[in-house]
């Protein structure tokens, strides 16, 4: 009988420790997520990044250069696909 009680006690200690560790990890993750999301609120959408304002250009060389800059911003993750397409459409329409 003492061996059975010792086994049950050991299992209880292991289970209690696992629960405590799991709860601590969960609280830490929630804290990190809250900090990233602004204390538990949904992340606010950022204003679309605008390319640097330059005087309107009429020649194709400057439009190509601006398209390259937009492509670089998209590749860096500054612009989303939809923002990139919108800026490209504006540039080519001007």
């Amino acid at each position: 009988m003492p061996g059975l009680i010792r086994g049950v006690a050991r299992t209880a200690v292991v289970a209690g420790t696992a629960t405590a560790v799991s709860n601590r990890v969960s609280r830490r993750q929630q804290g990190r997520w809250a900090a990233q999301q602004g204390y538990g609120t949904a992340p606010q959408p950022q204003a679309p990044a605008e390319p640097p304002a330059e005087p309107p250009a009429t020649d194709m060389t400057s439009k190509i250069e601006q398209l390259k800059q937009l492509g670089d911003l998209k590749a860096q993750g500054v612009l989303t696909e939809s923002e990139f397409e919108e800026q490209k459409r504006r540039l080519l329409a001007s």
Side-chain angles (χ1 to χ4, degrees):
M1 192 72 158
L4 179 63
I5 293 174
R6 186 178 302 145
V8 170
R10 182 178 295 144
T11 302
V13 168
V14 170
T17 303
T19 302
V21 170
S22 175
N23 288 340
R24 180 181 166 118
V25 169
S26 293
R27 282 192 304 270
R28 191 176 350 165
Q29 285 178 339
Q30 286 175 350
R32 287 180 183 170
W33 292 336
Q36 288 176 353
Q37 295 178 354
Y39 302 104
T41 60
Q44 299 296 323
Q46 295 179 349
E50 296 287 331
E54 295 181 10
T58 55
D59 63 338
M60 190 56 92
T61 306
S62 64
K63 285 187 180 185
I64 291 172
E65 187 61 37
Q66 289 176 348
L67 283 172
K68 287 180 184 179
Q69 290 174 351
L70 285 173
D72 290 341
L73 289 173
K74 180 182 164 210
Q76 294 171 2
V78 176
L79 293 176
T80 64
E81 181 68 31
S82 61
E83 292 169 337
F84 172 77
E85 291 298 325
E86 175 65 23
Q87 293 300 324
K88 183 174 78 170
R89 184 188 60 77
R90 286 182 185 176
L91 178 63
L92 294 176
S94 63

